[in-house]
Amino acid sequence: MARERDHLYITVPNLFRCPISMDVMRSPVSLCTGVTYDRASIQHWLESGHDTCPATMQTLQSKDVIPNLTLRRLINLWAQSHGPSSPASSPSLSSQHLASLVQFLQSDNQSEKFSQNIVHSLSRAADFARASDENRRFVASFDGFVTAIVGVLNREGVETEVLESVIKVLDSVLPQSGVNEQLSRLMVKSNGNSLASIRLVLQKGNLSSKIESVRVLDSIALDAESKRLIAEKEGLLSVLIDLLGSETDQNLHGAVFSCLSSVSVTRSIKAELVQVGLVRFITSTLLNPDTNTPLAEKSLKLLSTIATCAEGRSAISGEEKCAGAVAERLMKVSRGATEDGVAVLWSVCCMLGDKRARESVAGGNGVAKVLLVMQSGYGEGHFVRRMCGDLVKVLSVGLGLGLRYDTKTIHIMPC
């Protein structure tokens, strides 16, 4: 069976592969050194400022490229004979390539050529893993691969581009069962060295790498030890919060909110997040009319977590528009997110008893929204129904409406 699977991936003649991407060349072109590459790969290499041939590292006398029409015809004939699902249209990888990559990753080589080769190889592995579930299983289960990948994160002085490629591979195999647990164990054993590398990518990487890094962090926050490790890593929480201010991408913000929700398990962590301004960013997110629903839901979930500590409730109270923004989102998000919103309002309006928060909610037609939530199918004695009842009491008093509610039914009647 193993031989059959390996044979599935060893179907491309090496002559047809680009020495940079290791994928089948779509537009083969040759340099003055006589080495042929795929046009897109070699152009990216040259446009990045290199003046050498990647395969031979010879200095180029000319950066002109010449189409290799003969090789292109051979590749097209070979691709046609393999049908529409041939590797000509999708990335391919063999056990031999993965074994070589693992050995390469485990070496102590830190040269410029090492970095260049490893970036290309890792990018190729990530693209291959993302192409199908079968590919992802093949890469994730390959003996020593994940361990070798994490080993790069544990090193000091690794270039940011290399770290980005490592993160890309890890993100590509996260959906595979068991990978999260393996990553968590390996990173906890590293005593935080791998987290320092992730922090560097969050600070200096490109947008995609930042999103992937946050997803990796979120995936390894599986138990108390791993969550504590992430939260207590020097500067990591601050870097995550800084991303909310320096980047506008909603996918990144959503990943950050999700990660922070995962690690906010102690009062000290929640208090630290409050101290670095998290509530302000959440309020801004909820007030923004362009905020998509998934991001709004993650914002409410995180805010409900923060509201469980005194520092969080005080910070929510201190943000003048926060409570009103939460009330505005009720019934416009999922049932779970609406419940998170109700919990936040109950925390500041009832538990904390903040007058300004009550006025903010009531002034934005919050009473009607709370009543709608209360009448949306929660049975007698349900905790959400009880919180809504408490909110109706305190908000109606502030408005002078004298509303009362009958807990035996879901109907709300004015006195």
Side-chain angles (χ1 to χ4, degrees):
M1 185 67 177
R3 289 187 176 182
E4 290 179 0
R5 182 183 67 179
D6 195 42
H7 178 72
L8 175 65
Y9 303 111
I10 307 177
T11 54
V12 185
N14 288 332
L15 180 65
F16 296 167
R17 296 184 186 275
C18 171
I20 295 177
S21 67
M22 295 305 295
D23 290 332
V24 175
M25 290 182 281
R26 298 179 182 276
S27 179
V29 294
S30 299
L31 291 177
C32 60
T33 58
V35 182
T36 299
Y37 302 90
D38 188 57
R39 182 184 296 274
S41 297
I42 193 60
Q43 283 183 341
H44 177 73
W45 171 268
L46 297 175
E47 291 170 359
S48 298
H50 299 288
D51 61 356
T52 57
C53 172
T56 65
M57 296 307 292
Q58 291 178 275
T59 300
L60 297 174
Q61 301 301 317
S62 170
K63 292 187 178 182
D64 294 336
V65 296
I66 301 173
N68 191 328
L69 300 180
T70 301
L71 183 57
R72 183 171 184 173
R73 283 194 294 270
L74 291 173
I75 292 174
N76 286 338
L77 288 172
W78 173 83
Q80 292 171 9
S81 68
H82 283 71
S85 62
S86 73
S89 59
S90 62
S92 58
L93 199 67
S94 69
S95 295
Q96 182 180 2
H97 285 124
L98 273 183
S100 299
L101 180 55
V102 169
Q103 185 177 8
F104 204 38
L105 290 171
Q106 293 173 337
S107 71
D108 294 328
N109 195 329
Q110 294 289 338
S111 66
E112 179 182 356
K113 187 175 181 180
F114 169 85
S115 298
Q116 294 165 354
N117 289 337
I118 213 67
V119 166
H120 295 309
S121 297
L122 290 173
S123 296
R124 177 192 170 201
D127 292 339
F128 174 80
R130 287 172 173 168
S132 70
D133 292 343
E134 184 177 8
N135 289 1
R136 185 179 65 245
R137 286 192 296 271
F138 176 65
V139 173
S141 62
F142 191 85
D143 186 35
F145 182 74
V146 174
T147 302
I149 285 287
V150 176
V152 178
L153 293 180
N154 291 335
R155 298 181 186 177
E156 295 182 357
V158 180
E159 294 182 7
T160 303
E161 188 179 10
V162 175
L163 295 177
E164 287 180 304
S165 299
V166 169
I167 293 296
K168 181 179 180 181
V169 174
L170 292 179
D171 182 66
S172 70
V173 298
L174 283 179
Q176 185 61 35
S177 176
V179 169
N180 292 3
E181 292 79 2
Q182 184 180 8
L183 284 178
S184 185
R185 289 194 301 271
L186 292 170
M187 291 186 176
V188 168
K189 287 181 180 179
S190 73
N191 294 319
N193 293 339
S194 56
L195 295 182
S197 294
I198 293 178
R199 182 181 61 199
L200 181 63
V201 175
L202 291 173
Q203 292 172 320
K204 298 184 178 181
N206 58 44
L207 178 60
S208 296
S209 297
K210 291 176 180 178
I211 295 174
E212 291 162 353
S213 296
V214 179
R215 285 202 294 249
V216 169
L217 282 177
D218 194 14
S219 72
I220 66 172
L222 299 177
D223 53 30
E225 185 179 8
S226 57
K227 292 176 181 180
R228 177 191 57 77
L229 181 66
I230 294 171
E232 294 180 357
K233 182 61 182 178
E234 183 180 356
L236 189 52
L237 290 184
S238 296
V239 169
L240 289 171
I241 296 296
D242 288 342
L243 291 176
L244 299 176
S246 62
E247 301 283 355
T248 59
D249 185 83
Q250 294 197 19
N251 290 324
L252 175 59
H253 285 204
V256 170
F257 285 155
S258 179
C259 182
L260 293 178
S261 293
S262 296
V263 302
S264 298
V265 292
T266 66
R267 177 176 177 176
S268 61
I269 295 174
K270 298 170 189 175
E272 182 179 351
L273 291 175
V274 168
Q275 187 176 4
V276 294
L278 177 61
V279 174
R280 182 176 71 255
F281 286 114
I282 294 178
T283 302
S284 176
T285 299
L286 293 174
L287 286 171
N288 185 353
D290 295 327
T291 295
N292 59 42
T293 299
L295 179 56
E297 292 175 350
K298 292 176 181 177
S299 302
L300 291 170
K301 180 180 180 180
L302 179 55
L303 194 61
S304 68
T305 300
I306 296 299
T308 59
C309 71
E311 293 86 351
R313 292 189 291 272
S314 178
I316 295 171
S317 173
E319 285 292 329
E320 182 180 354
K321 298 182 179 180
C322 185
V326 171
E328 178 62 27
R329 293 284 177 173
L330 298 182
M331 302 298 290
K332 295 181 179 179
V333 290
S334 68
R335 189 176 181 86
T338 292
E339 292 175 359
D340 289 331
V342 170
V344 172
L345 297 180
W346 184 88
S347 296
V348 293
C349 295
C350 300
M351 188 175 181
L352 184 63
D354 184 71
K355 182 178 179 181
R356 288 181 304 173
R358 293 175 182 176
E359 292 174 348
S360 176
V361 174
N365 201 29
V367 176
K369 292 181 179 295
V370 172
L371 292 177
L372 283 175
V373 176
M374 190 175 182
Q375 296 177 345
S376 61
Y378 294 103
E380 182 70 24
H382 194 284
F383 75 96
V384 173
R385 183 180 176 85
R386 292 200 303 269
M387 286 193 294
C388 287
D390 292 342
L391 283 168
V392 169
K393 286 181 180 179
V394 298
L395 295 176
S396 61
V397 169
L399 290 175
L401 297 178
L403 292 177
R404 65 178 176 83
Y405 64 97
D406 182 355
T407 58
K408 294 182 180 179
T409 69
I410 61 171
H411 299 293
I412 313 302
M413 297 296 291
C415 292

